[in-house]
Amino acid sequence: MDTLLDRLKSEIGEANVLTGSAAAEQAFSPWTQLGTPLAIVRPGSTAQVAAVLRAAGDAGAAVVPWGGRTGLVDGARAEGAIALSLERMAAVESVDPGQSTMTVQAGCVLEAACRAAEDAGLFLPLDFGARGSATIGGAISTNAGGNRVLRYGMARDMVLGLEAVLADGTVLTTLNSLIKNNAGYDLKQLFIGSEGTLGVVTRAVLRLRPKPASQQTALLGVERFDALPRLLRRLEAELDGALSAFEVMWPQFYDLVTTPPAAGRPILPPVHGYYVLVETLGADPAADGARFEAALAGVLEDGLAADVVIAQSGAERARMWALRDDVAQTARNGPIQTFDVSLPIHEMEPYLTAVRAMLETGIPRATLTIFGHLGDGNLHLIVGNPDADHRETVEAIIYGPLAARHGSVSAEHGIGLQKRAWLGYSRSPEEIALMQLLKRAMDPRGTLNPGKVLPPGPKVAGAAP
Ligand code: ZN
């Protein structure tokens, strides 16, 4: 291994190859288990990323790409591997107002990319809780979702072009900035959402949108689940495509984020069945406000919502989002297991009833806290299990009923290490076989983020353990 580390040092500079205590210090994340990497390498250019992959490939060493390390499925676990951090490739290379695109390096933090777009009078709609540390490369590799998918789609929908480095060091530069380009296979899709198992994303061309001139936010109290889908469709129709968020908090979640030690306090009295944060982004501040108020008055009148508070200032809006974003409070029921499932809205209530009943029988001391991007059919379930055992039983309870209800074991967090045993609950054997074929074709030595996403399949010759 010394020869490998020596080669890496000569390729990218000694200061950018961290080992021992320097590496151990960096290999920590409150969100995910990173393991103890053999070394952390910090290439400063695409050419250097290629050099690292070539050197590791020659030595048969595993390479795990690192972005902001805020993933929740242990996709960045790098035990005994070379952790390839993109932190030095953090530049916004250009913003093109004419094309409404930006070219960004993979290590650029999401929030910084959003700010650069805004400085140019444009808007990068990707937004989620880890915005201050997650990177563009990580968001693309995991096809991140978040709070505005309802209107703008997931990370995949914002990527026009991509540069990625293959396991053998080949640089694939597809920095397309065209909205329409049907010239052959859309190769960038291989790297979006494949969690660094098929290549390392190094740069991207992102599609930007007009910067919204108005933003309307409200918190609604709703009594019955069956009102939620009707409320969603009604607001979508009446707000004419401006609805950008429809976030639902269940009472247990609302209680946690509005009581000490949480900083938040109730904005609506804690008496409702569901709390819905809705937001619109529009182009006409005067008219948008009036239309938003009229739509909400209508849903109150028709009994779809029982109560509503409209944010009257930026501070009030921030207080509403702070409740939704304070997911860390769910750790108060710890130790916790975090789930991210997807299913058709009409299946949600029977699914949750079944899950609750199985938890009550199987693990009576467990708690269940629920919130999610209901407009996208995406629920986050947090199971608190004071006994910290039966982890697989809890997983079986959450994932088991999904297949029959046409759901997915991962809506937006990805598969990583945590969910690979459950991939077969959401993908057919034929789909998984094709995924394994792609993996073998693109990474024949099995050195790129090995063991992630795919359930252990047929042995790959020379694969790292
Ligand atoms: Zn989410």
Side-chain angles (χ1 to χ4, degrees):
M1 274 307 153
D2 279 353
T3 22
L4 170 61
L5 294 182
D6 290 341
R7 182 168 163 193
L8 290 171
K9 285 174 189 167
S10 78
E11 296 277 13
I12 66 171
E14 199 159 346
N16 295 312
V17 179
L18 309 181
T19 54
S21 57
E25 248 168 60
Q26 296 232 349
F28 172 77
S29 160
W31 303 107
T32 184
Q33 293 190 21
L34 294 169
T36 307
L38 175 67
I40 301 174
V41 302
R42 306 183 299 185
S45 65
T46 302
Q48 288 193 352
V49 172
V52 168
L53 288 174
R54 271 195 302 272
D58 290 348
V63 176
V64 178
W66 273 8
R69 286 155 279 162
T70 44
L72 295 169
V73 292
D74 297 336
R77 189 167 166 81
E79 183 65 41
I82 303 290
L84 194 168
S85 169
L86 280 302
E87 66 196 75
R88 288 176 63 224
M89 295 181 63
V92 173
E93 292 186 349
S94 62
V95 181
D96 181 342
Q99 286 267 74
S100 196
T101 61
M102 73 193 303
T103 304
V104 204
Q105 294 181 347
C108 182
V109 169
L110 173 60
E111 204 167 55
C114 292
R115 216 177 304 123
E118 213 172 307
D119 290 347
L122 291 159
F123 182 54
L124 175 62
L126 191 61
D127 183 58
F128 48 86
R131 60 185 77 79
S133 43
T135 62
I136 292 293
I140 291 173
S141 302
T142 56
N143 186 27
N147 298 332
R148 300 191 186 116
V149 174
L150 179 62
R151 174 149 172 207
Y152 298 101
M154 298 178 73
R156 185 186 305 282
D157 299 286
M158 297 165 206
V159 180
L160 292 173
L162 209 61
E163 180 182 78
V165 184
L166 303 181
D168 67 357
T170 303
V171 177
L172 206 71
T173 304
T174 325
L175 291 173
N176 170 71
S177 62
L178 304 170
I179 288 174
K180 300 175 100 170
N181 184 352
N182 274 350
Y185 296 171
D186 192 355
L187 296 175
K188 67 175 183 284
Q189 302 297 353
L190 289 168
F191 308 102
I192 305 175
S194 54
E195 303 181 43
T197 60
L198 300 180
V200 180
V201 172
T202 46
R203 288 196 290 165
V205 180
L206 303 176
R207 180 182 188 179
L208 302 178
R209 304 290 181 148
K211 188 157 113 185
S214 80
Q215 189 173 10
Q216 315 291 334
T217 312
L219 190 67
L220 286 74
V222 172
E223 300 316 331
R224 290 164 49 93
F225 188 91
D226 61 9
L228 292 172
R230 288 191 288 142
L231 176 65
L232 168 65
R233 299 308 165 209
R234 166 97 168 247
L235 292 178
E236 275 186 321
E238 291 197 4
L239 297 168
D240 197 22
L243 190 67
S244 56
F246 191 91
E247 299 287 313
V248 177
M249 297 172 264
W250 269 246
Q252 299 87 338
F253 183 91
Y254 191 74
D255 288 346
L256 281 174
V257 298
T258 55
T259 53
R265 293 295 169 265
I267 294 169
L268 285 170
V271 297
H272 298 287
Y274 305 89
Y275 301 84
V276 188
L277 197 167
V278 298
E279 187 158 273
T280 63
L281 298 171
D284 186 346
D288 292 343
R291 183 193 282 179
F292 190 65
E293 280 174 31
L296 293 179
V299 299
L300 274 179
E301 211 165 282
D302 294 349
L304 286 177
D307 202 353
V308 59
V309 176
I310 298 177
Q312 302 296 334
S313 65
E316 286 187 25
R317 169 178 307 123
R319 269 209 298 281
M320 290 180 182
W321 275 109
L323 296 186
R324 167 59 186 79
D325 277 346
D326 198 6
V327 175
Q329 296 302 326
T330 58
R332 280 155 60 187
N333 288 332
I336 56 168
Q337 281 173 263
T338 304
F339 298 95
D340 158 49
V341 304
S342 189
L343 70 172
I345 293 183
H346 67 269
E347 296 279 10
M348 281 182 183
E349 203 180 22
Y351 167 75
L352 290 172
T353 305
V355 165
R356 269 205 193 89
M358 284 188 285
L359 277 178
E360 263 163 38
T361 337
I363 305 165
R365 292 187 63 203
T367 58
L368 180 63
T369 310
I370 311 163
F371 61 101
H373 319 283
L374 200 93
D376 317 326
N378 180 185
L379 294 179
H380 293 314
L381 280 69
I382 314 283
V383 177
N385 181 3
D387 301 323
D389 52 4
H390 308 301
R391 291 185 73 86
E392 280 187 24
T393 311
V394 173
E395 289 177 1
I397 288 173
I398 302 291
Y399 295 138
L402 284 173
R405 298 184 187 279
H406 310 288
S408 171
V409 298
S410 176
E412 61 179 2
H413 292 170
I415 295 294
L417 278 180
Q418 276 188 18
K419 299 186 186 177
R420 60 182 189 157
W422 303 97
L423 188 64
Y425 278 56
S426 300
R427 298 291 189 188
S428 67
E430 293 78 10
E431 286 177 302
I432 293 173
L434 181 56
M435 290 183 200
Q436 281 165 334
L437 185 64
L438 278 169
K439 172 69 176 171
R440 284 199 296 277
M442 293 179 69
D443 180 19
R445 290 182 286 204
T447 53
L448 203 45
N449 212 2
K452 310 295 163 55
V453 183
L454 297 171
K459 274 265 171 263
V460 179

